[in-house]
Amino acid sequence: NKHYAASGAAQGGHRDDAEFLRAEGANISYIAEGAACGGYRNYAEFLRAEGANINNIAEGAARGGHRNYAEFLREEGAYINNIAEGAARGGHRDYAEFLRAEGADIDFNAEGAARGGHRDYAEFLRAQGANIDFIAQGAARGGHRDYAKFLRAEGANISQIAFGAARGGHRDYAEYLRAEGADIDAIVDGVLEGRHMSSKKSTLHFLLHINNS
């Protein structure tokens, strides 16, 4: 997927590759998020001036542990929930908890923790009242199938899990959950939000496939 390839290139400091993929249609906000996660602030700011979404950038900065930059972007208007989700996803629990004390929604922290594979933190937040469906969605989106399965057994909604799996590009798991009864519309929504198809044509092909099977 070119969007995630471009984000990865930016995160690794390969600006020329990221720009090539941007010219090929890769999402600028995903690229900027990768740049911020990798600590390439100048490139992230260049992309922000080009139209990249500040919330993606702030989430990337927090995920990469670049707290000063994330806080700068928060002062510039980035949503605290996106930043908290990024911090939790990146395993920066102290910063995520700081943001929660500042007003971040616990569900964003929990979803980020689950998506990043930080099960202990996600479970801590669940005990604190975080919504199990958000956590399960995050686990599935991050490819943590065992944890998502555990949460499903605990009562998480199968369609929310399938949405997360599709959004994270885990097509086999999404299809498995569809066979188990997950709502097809949730899977379609996940595919569209996740941008995991390489082109509009392949997206259409996949959507036609799941609607006709």
Side-chain angles (χ1 to χ4, degrees):
N1 177 280
K2 64 187 172 188
H3 306 293
Y4 282 81
S7 181
Q11 185 174 339
H14 306 292
R15 183 168 175 167
D16 289 346
D17 291 338
E19 286 295 297
F20 170 79
L21 290 166
R22 181 158 77 105
E24 292 288 307
N27 186 290
I28 189 174
S29 295
Y30 282 35
I31 300 171
E33 183 175 337
C37 185
Y40 299 100
R41 182 169 176 167
N42 289 340
Y43 184 33
E45 285 295 293
F46 166 78
L47 292 168
R48 182 157 77 105
E50 292 274 298
N53 188 297
I54 190 174
N55 295 309
N56 286 81
I57 300 171
E59 186 173 337
R63 177 161 57 95
H66 308 291
R67 182 168 175 166
N68 289 339
Y69 186 32
E71 285 295 295
F72 165 77
L73 292 167
R74 182 156 75 106
E75 292 177 359
E76 292 277 298
Y79 294 144
I80 191 172
N81 287 336
N82 291 84
I83 302 171
E85 183 176 348
R89 182 183 172 195
H92 307 290
R93 183 168 175 167
D94 288 345
Y95 185 33
E97 284 295 290
F98 166 78
L99 292 166
R100 186 157 75 100
E102 291 274 296
D105 188 320
I106 190 174
D107 290 333
F108 283 83
N109 288 56
E111 184 176 349
R115 185 181 176 192
H118 308 290
R119 182 168 175 167
D120 288 347
Y121 184 35
E123 284 296 294
F124 167 79
L125 293 168
R126 183 158 76 104
Q128 295 277 312
N131 187 301
I132 192 173
D133 289 335
F134 279 89
I135 301 172
Q137 183 185 131
R141 186 179 178 188
H144 307 290
R145 184 167 175 167
D146 287 345
Y147 186 32
K149 181 180 179 180
F150 166 79
L151 292 167
R152 182 183 168 200
E154 291 276 296
N157 184 286
I158 189 174
S159 295
Q160 289 295 313
I161 300 172
F163 170 80
R167 191 177 182 192
H170 307 290
R171 178 170 174 171
D172 289 346
Y173 187 34
E175 286 290 289
Y176 165 78
L177 292 168
R178 183 162 72 99
E180 291 279 299
D183 184 358
I184 191 171
D185 289 336
I187 299 172
V188 170
D189 288 344
V191 170
L192 293 174
E193 287 196 28
R195 299 175 181 270
H196 284 286
M197 298 298 159
S198 60
S199 67
K200 291 180 180 178
K201 182 178 180 180
S202 58
T203 301
L204 179 60
H205 177 78
F206 175 69
L207 296 178
L208 287 171
H209 163 72
I210 63 175
N211 276 291
N212 292 326
S213 62

